[in-house]
């Protein structure tokens, strides 16, 4: 990891730290359960798990306020949970049921929540980036100080439309934070094999967009970078690029055997850099929580996740009439 | 020797123009490269340069003259001392000769002519409404002005829409009226700005995206289809994209394969989109207003050649035309001709020729291609028992193919002949004038198709 930034001393409270722990653990356990349900045939199609990357969304969300927007790619379950969407609705969408966020019509890659300002869930690599800039455009047009987080991966960072968007976002001072979640593999192609220069945070330089690299396994470092980027955007100074170095433990999707990297590489990351373990250590060594406190949180989360799985299994499939609804807004 | 200066063609679709101003007078000496006149085309005011050296002998067309046809002699340039008063005004007007040649090809009427009367009834405005003549360009401009005045959330975005006043002048004056917050010049980056506009629509605004032509929208088609058209469904109805993608579509004139394609059938295939392709100025205005108010992404297919054509438009405070309602442009009894957009030009010309031959054609202008007004087509076919479809787009998977299939499924027993689809040829658009004319449909082809289905 070439992460240059670590937050040795951060002004977070014990409560905040506990909240991050809880939010990251929820994503981890939720994704593990989703993997299980996929294995049981309850979830179909593509399913991209976020395990290993939890600190990214939790850290970034820590600097948001009501009204801020977020949009991402198909690896989206973590983003939805982090912005407060209901695990039941997310899981039921994964199983394609009526109780899902899109009534079962979107699936793992296509979920939305107007209430939580979550704008999807997009399956075409990179397409969410101009859309995110467009959301920021709408806020600037309306004259409020909301900020949009447009998440994309190291793979998407090579899509042409991202640079079209960088140009216009900078030209028009759009309040958008381009978050490059660099998990180092674009499906099976490592960053070294796909990217001419290693530092993605410099990709905005040609457009005059400031960029920063962040240790994405450290939630506090991510939070700090997020605060800085958000302040920049809210002040009307235009877009910001954050390259958040992270790692996904699982394959690209459920059907990926991940032969392009060694088991040792993954294990080393889990052992040494795991974002949840890092916070757990901080909580315990700082005496902000006891083993028992953390056990209680683990238990709560397990209950939430199990309940979401039960809900997702019990919720009926959408009525066949749903095939013909929501095609047109006035239909 | 005296040479004639001819009225120049200064845009691909210019047929005539206004000689706005002479910058030289008779007796002046001119050199190659001197600006000698200002000419207003259908798009802009252009400077006209001298190509040869000489003395301006005679100015044949006075400044301020409107409707000067391309290739009309406008002045005579000669050498010093030469008598130029006798120079002939014979203009080699190729277009006229061609028209005469084509007219000569039409065989003499075999049957007693029937009446050809384009319908003046419109279901879209009350009888007796005051009408005024307006070009399609003016109608589109007026529709945008009215809707932008009505709703603050409507904005226009695209290449050259602002300071340049629109590549085809559709957005002329909008920047002055609404300011740069709402009339936004973009870089040349269709994929990016189509995505940004779609995101803005998700965020609650109502963008109008102008593509300089729909050929360039191919760069953006992923955002149009995967993002704008599908999000409402994918989100279970939570959010969609209330917006308009508009611009000229189809062949203009002599601009070659990459700038001459009709996308009607492409977009009409996509659930989640609405697709409009007007022919008249009244339809352009009424449908554009409806498109801007619609809560769904609307593809609005205009045509460069149609921009300068004039039609009567009703004078009404708030004139809209609903989607999914075809217009019966001519009533008839022997055959139904179904068309839309610029295809209507051929359909109407054919109907007039056919009337002279004693064949009464009913001409239907679909106006919107998604939704399509099947009922009006089927009702007509049940009356005439024959149908020919007319469009400029490619023949495979065309709108005509779809209409034929629908008629076969819904009105098979009423058909007295197979439906014939007249479409553009199955070739990339050639540049050569004669090849281009044949690559598009011709009125004669429509006439022949009708004769085939009516067994004449």
């Amino acid at each position: 990891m070439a992460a240059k930034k670590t937050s040795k001393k951060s002004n977070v409270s014990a409560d905040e730290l506990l909240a991050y722990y809880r939010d990251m653990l929820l994503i981890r356990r939720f994704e593990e359960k989703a993997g299980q349900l996929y294995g049981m045939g309850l979830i179909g199609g593509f399913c991209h798990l976020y395990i290993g990357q939890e600190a990214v969304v939790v850290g970034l969300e820590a600097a948001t306020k009501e009204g801020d927007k977020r949009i991402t790619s198909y690896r989206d379950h973590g983003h939805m949970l982090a912005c407060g969407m209901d695990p039941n609705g997310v899981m039921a969408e994964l199983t394609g049921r009526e109780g899902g966020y899109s009534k079962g019509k979107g699936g793992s890659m296509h979920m939305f929540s107007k209430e939580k300002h979550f704008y999807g869930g997009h399956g075409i690599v990179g397409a969410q980036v101009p859309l995110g800039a467009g959301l920021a455009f709408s806020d600037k047009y309306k004259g409020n100080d909301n900020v949009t987080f447009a998440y994309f991966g190291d793979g998407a960072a090579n899509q042409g439309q991202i640079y079209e968007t960088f140009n216009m976002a900078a030209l028009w001072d759009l309040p958008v934070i381009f978050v490059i979640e660099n998990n180092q593999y674009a499906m099976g192609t490592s960053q070294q094999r796909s990217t001419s220069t290693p530092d993605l945070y410099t990709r905005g330089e040609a457009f005059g967009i400031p960029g920063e690299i962040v240790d994405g396994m450290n939630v506090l470092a991510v939070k700090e970078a997020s605060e800085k980027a958000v302040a920049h955007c809210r002040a009307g100074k235009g877009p910001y690029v954050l390259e958040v170095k992270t790692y996904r433990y699982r394959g690209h999707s459920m059907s990926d055997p991940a032969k392009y990297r060694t088991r040792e590489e993954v294990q080393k990351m889990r052992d040494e850099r795991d974002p949840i373990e890092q916070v757990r250590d901080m909580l315990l060594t700082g005496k902000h929580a006891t083993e028992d406190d953390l056990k209680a949180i683990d238990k709560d989360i397990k209950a939430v996740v199990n309940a979401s799985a039960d809900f997702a299994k019990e919720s009926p499939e959408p009525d066949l009439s749903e095939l013909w609804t929501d095609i047109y807004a006035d239909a | 020797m005296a040479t004639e200066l001819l009225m120049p063609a200064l845009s691909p679709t210019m047929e005539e123009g206004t000689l706005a101003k002479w910058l030289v007078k008779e007796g002046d000496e001119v050199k190659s490269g001197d600006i000698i006149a200002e000419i207003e085309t259908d798009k802009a005011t252009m400077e006209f340069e001298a190509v040869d050296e000489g003395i301006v002998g005679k100015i044949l067309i006075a400044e301020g003259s409107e409707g000067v046809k391309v290739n009309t002699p406008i002045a005579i340039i000669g050498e010093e001392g030469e008598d130029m008063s006798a120079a002939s005004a014979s203009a080699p007007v190729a277009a006229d000769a061609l028209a005469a040649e084509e007219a000569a090809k039409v065989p003499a009427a075999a049957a007693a002519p029937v009446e050809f009367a384009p319908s003046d009834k419109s279901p879209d405005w009350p009888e007796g409404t005051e009408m005024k003549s307006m070009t399609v360009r003016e109608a589109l401009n007026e529709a945008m002005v009215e809707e932008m005045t009505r709703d603050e959330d409507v904005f226009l975005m695209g290449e050259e829409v602002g300071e340049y006043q629109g590549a085809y002048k559709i957005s002329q004056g909008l920047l002055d009226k609404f300011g740069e917050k709402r009339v936004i010049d973009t870089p040349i980056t269709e994929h990016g700005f189509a995505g940004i506009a779609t995101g803005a629509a998700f965020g609650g605004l109502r963008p109008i995206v102008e593509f300089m032509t729909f050929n360039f929208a191919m760069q953006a088609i992923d955002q149009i289809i995967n993002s704008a058209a599908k999000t409402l469904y994918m989100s279970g109805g939570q959010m969609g994209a209330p917006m308009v993608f508009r611009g000229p579509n189809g062949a203009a004139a002599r601009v070659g394969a990459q700038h001459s394609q009709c996308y009607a059938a492409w977009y009409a295939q996509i659930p989640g989109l609405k697709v409009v392709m007007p022919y008249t100025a009244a339809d352009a205005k009424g449908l554009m207003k409806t498109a801007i108010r619609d809560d769904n992404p609307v593809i609005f297919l205009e045509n460069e050649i149609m921009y300068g054509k004039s039609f009567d438009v009703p004078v009404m405070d708030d004139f809209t035309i609903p989607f999914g309602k075809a217009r019966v442009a001519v009533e008839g009894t022997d055959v139904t001709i179904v068309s839309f957009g610029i295809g209507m030009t051929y359909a109407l010309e054919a109907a007039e020729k056919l009337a002279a031959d004693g064949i009464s054609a009913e001409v239907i202008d679909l106006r919107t291609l998604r939704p399509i007004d099947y009922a009006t087509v089927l009702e007509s076919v049940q009356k005439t028992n024959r149908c020919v479809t007319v469009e400029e787009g490619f023949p495979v998977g065309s709108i005509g193919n779809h209409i034929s299939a629908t008629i076969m499924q819904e009105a098979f027993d009423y058909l007295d002949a197979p439906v014939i689809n007249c479409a553009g040829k199955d070739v990339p658009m050639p540049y050569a004038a004669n090849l281009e004319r044949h690559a598009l449909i011709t009125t004669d082809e429509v006439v022949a198709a009708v004769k085939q289905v009516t067994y004449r």
Side-chain angles (χ1 to χ4, degrees):
Chain A
M1 297 289 285
K4 289 166 189 161
K5 205 167 168 77
T6 43
S7 182
K8 290 201 183 75
K9 224 173 159 191
S10 191
N11 55 347
V12 292
S13 69
D15 284 349
E16 282 171 318
L17 206 53
L18 271 166
Y20 305 153
Y21 177 75
R22 197 184 183 287
D23 290 350
M24 289 195 290
L25 198 65
L26 172 64
I27 296 172
R28 173 82 46 104
R29 297 287 173 259
F30 182 94
E31 294 290 67
E32 286 166 354
K33 181 61 81 178
Q36 226 176 52
L37 297 188
Y38 192 92
M40 293 161 69
L42 286 161
I43 297 173
F46 293 129
C47 184
H48 309 85
L49 302 181
Y50 201 65
I51 296 174
Q53 300 184 210
E54 297 90 346
V56 180
V57 284
V58 171
L60 282 155
E61 284 290 342
T64 60
K65 70 165 178 65
E66 169 57 30
D68 288 345
K69 300 178 169 57
R70 59 284 287 165
I71 187 166
T72 188
S73 71
Y74 43 80
R75 194 178 307 285
D76 55 357
H77 313 160
H79 303 70
M80 294 187 274
L81 297 173
C83 74
M85 285 168 66
D86 177 10
N88 287 7
V90 179
M91 197 68 96
E93 190 60 37
L94 296 183
T95 54
R97 304 302 173 92
E98 186 186 86
Y101 265 98
S102 298
K103 301 189 264 184
K105 294 174 7 176
S108 163
M109 298 187 284
H110 307 303
M111 271 179 262
F112 305 78
S113 168
K114 203 163 195 173
E115 186 203 347
K116 299 290 181 189
H117 314 294
F118 179 74
Y119 289 83
H122 295 270
I124 307 298
V125 173
Q128 75 277 15
V129 179
L131 295 172
L135 291 167
F137 178 97
S138 71
D139 280 321
K140 189 177 161 80
Y141 190 96
K142 290 172 192 163
N144 60 44
D145 70 346
N146 296 335
V147 165
T148 296
F149 293 79
Y151 292 88
F152 56 103
D154 46 301
N158 292 320
Q159 281 278 21
Q161 62 181 311
I162 298 211
Y163 301 97
E164 297 188 18
T165 304
F166 277 11
N167 181 43
M168 285 180 277
L171 194 64
W172 299 334
D173 288 331
L174 300 182
V176 53
I177 300 171
F178 298 109
V179 183
I180 307 173
E181 293 194 64
N182 183 355
N183 68 18
Q184 305 175 50
Y185 291 91
M187 194 167 153
T189 305
S190 69
Q191 202 201 326
Q192 298 93 289
R193 292 177 57 229
S194 64
T195 303
S196 61
T197 50
D199 290 326
L200 299 176
Y201 69 95
T202 64
R203 289 280 180 101
E205 272 177 13
F207 306 92
I209 306 176
E212 198 172 317
I213 191 162
V214 190
D215 176 2
M217 305 305 270
N218 179 338
V219 72
L220 299 183
V222 178
K223 174 191 178 250
E224 198 177 297
S226 181
E227 283 167 345
K228 195 171 157 190
V230 165
H232 178 91
C233 286
R234 276 210 222 293
K237 293 180 187 166
Y240 206 89
V241 171
L242 290 178
E243 179 189 357
V244 189
K245 284 268 205 179
T246 182
Y247 199 82
R248 78 171 138 71
Y249 296 172
R250 297 294 186 94
H252 166 72
S253 69
M254 290 303 295
S255 50
D256 172 19
K259 300 273 193 213
Y260 42 82
R261 60 185 186 189
T262 61
R263 280 179 163 282
E264 290 71 34
E265 179 184 305
V266 182
Q267 197 54 49
K268 190 166 155 45
M269 195 61 78
R270 295 191 91 127
D271 290 346
E272 297 173 8
R273 308 293 314 281
D274 187 79
I276 300 176
E277 284 304 315
Q278 286 190 47
V279 173
R280 189 183 161 84
D281 283 352
M282 272 185 250
L283 286 166
L284 292 174
T285 54
K287 302 210 184 310
H288 303 304
T290 64
E291 288 276 5
D292 283 349
D293 293 338
L294 298 184
K295 261 190 197 140
I297 291 176
D298 292 3
K299 204 177 149 199
D300 279 355
I301 291 210
K302 207 170 175 184
V304 169
V305 169
N306 284 338
S308 77
D310 290 343
F311 178 79
K313 286 184 231 171
E314 283 157 21
S315 177
E317 288 190 309
D319 191 88
L320 277 183
S321 66
E322 280 298 334
L323 183 62
W324 298 102
T325 66
D326 305 322
I327 301 164
Y328 292 103
D330 46 5
Chain B
M1 210 195 105
T3 49
E4 286 174 342
L5 277 185
L6 305 180
M7 181 72 169
L10 297 169
S11 83
T13 49
M14 176 176 168
E15 289 169 5
E16 57 179 43
T18 298
L19 209 165
K21 196 172 181 189
W22 278 110
L23 301 171
V24 292
K25 56 184 188 304
E26 291 178 4
D28 282 1
E29 190 179 342
V30 292
K31 291 196 304 291
S32 163
D34 285 354
I35 296 159
I36 54 175
E38 284 178 4
I39 290 171
E40 274 174 31
T41 71
D42 52 346
K43 288 196 228 166
T45 301
M46 309 277 283
E47 290 174 338
F48 181 41
E49 290 181 4
V51 179
D52 300 309
E53 286 183 357
I55 306 288
V56 179
K58 197 166 173 56
I59 285 176
L60 301 170
I61 304 284
E63 68 178 25
S65 302
E66 289 176 18
V68 182
K69 297 258 182 272
V70 167
N71 281 339
T72 307
I74 55 174
I76 293 168
I77 303 261
E79 284 163 27
E80 179 117 45
E82 193 179 348
D83 175 20
M84 286 169 273
S85 58
S88 79
S90 68
V93 185
D96 285 356
L98 197 82
E101 188 191 316
E102 286 199 0
K105 278 190 228 155
V106 178
V114 296
E115 194 193 355
F116 174 75
S119 171
D120 57 356
K121 285 180 291 185
S122 170
D124 304 312
W125 54 83
E127 227 178 290
T129 302
E130 185 196 339
M131 304 294 282
K132 72 171 172 189
S133 178
M134 192 185 277
T135 62
V136 171
R137 171 180 286 111
E138 289 162 344
L140 291 168
N141 182 280
E142 213 172 82
M144 287 198 288
V145 168
E146 288 178 17
E147 292 309 299
M148 287 179 76
T149 305
R150 183 177 171 269
D151 185 349
E152 285 271 313
D153 287 341
V154 178
F155 70 93
L156 175 67
M157 168 184 265
E159 292 155 8
E160 311 289 10
V161 298
E163 289 191 13
Y164 194 90
Q165 306 296 326
Y168 296 99
K169 284 215 268 190
I170 307 304
S171 59
Q172 190 163 35
L174 262 59
L175 178 63
D176 283 349
K177 272 199 185 78
F178 300 106
E180 58 187 19
K181 181 189 172 191
R182 298 181 65 196
V183 180
I184 301 156
D185 281 320
T186 64
I188 304 171
T189 169
E190 287 83 6
H191 196 181
F193 70 70
I196 287 177
T198 304
F202 291 168
L205 301 181
R206 305 184 77 87
I208 305 170
V209 175
E210 174 173 313
F211 290 116
M212 196 181 289
T213 86
F214 263 93
N215 302 287
F216 312 151
M218 282 217 276
Q219 299 255 16
I221 202 164
D222 172 63
Q223 291 290 2
I224 297 172
I225 291 171
N226 272 319
S227 302
K230 295 180 183 173
T231 295
L232 186 73
Y233 196 81
M234 294 194 302
S235 69
Q238 285 187 76
M239 62 184 75
M243 65 194 302
V244 179
F245 296 99
R246 52 155 291 269
N249 164 70
R254 312 288 311 279
V255 291
Q258 292 183 338
H259 285 71
S260 309
Q261 185 171 340
C262 175
Y263 292 90
W266 286 46
Y267 291 111
Q269 230 233 336
I270 305 301
L273 292 179
K274 295 190 178 181
V275 182
V276 184
M277 190 155 155
Y279 168 62
T280 70
D283 286 350
K285 183 174 179 190
L287 290 166
M288 177 58 80
K289 283 167 66 78
T290 301
I292 295 169
R293 291 182 199 183
D294 200 284
D295 286 335
N296 300 282
V298 179
I299 302 289
F300 201 96
L301 301 169
E302 301 159 11
N303 187 290
E304 191 189 334
I305 291 167
M306 294 305 300
Y307 282 152
K309 305 269 192 251
S310 293
F311 296 85
D312 281 347
V313 177
V315 181
M316 292 167 71
D317 285 344
D318 192 22
F319 164 57
T320 60
I321 293 175
F323 290 169
K325 211 166 115 193
R327 182 175 64 92
V328 179
V330 183
E331 283 180 300
T333 52
D334 297 334
V335 62
T336 302
I337 302 178
V338 180
S339 189
F340 52 92
I342 195 170
M344 282 297 292
T345 315
Y346 309 101
L348 290 172
E349 274 176 21
E352 192 170 1
K353 285 188 176 183
L354 289 162
D357 289 355
I359 299 171
S360 161
E362 179 144 296
V363 182
I364 295 175
D365 180 354
L366 289 175
R367 306 196 290 189
T368 58
L369 304 174
R370 179 175 271 273
I372 285 187
D373 182 357
Y374 297 110
T376 296
V377 174
L378 291 170
E379 199 181 310
S380 176
V381 170
Q382 285 170 7
K383 177 176 72 176
T384 65
N385 312 112
R386 297 147 211 278
C387 182
V388 168
T389 66
V390 181
E391 70 200 285
E392 274 194 354
F394 291 135
V396 178
S398 65
I399 297 291
N401 290 169
H402 175 65
I403 295 289
S404 307
T406 306
I407 294 171
M408 194 170 71
Q409 283 180 337
E410 306 290 331
F412 185 74
D413 291 340
Y414 289 88
L415 284 177
D416 285 344
V419 178
I420 294 182
N421 300 144
C422 293
K425 307 303 182 293
D426 204 10
V427 298
M429 185 61 73
Y431 169 70
N434 63 331
L435 296 182
E436 183 182 64
R437 207 159 42 240
H438 284 277
L440 295 167
I441 33 171
T442 62
T443 300
D444 287 348
E445 284 167 359
V446 179
V447 168
V450 168
K451 291 201 170 166
Q452 203 178 323
V453 300
T454 52
Y455 306 112
R456 305 279 182 114

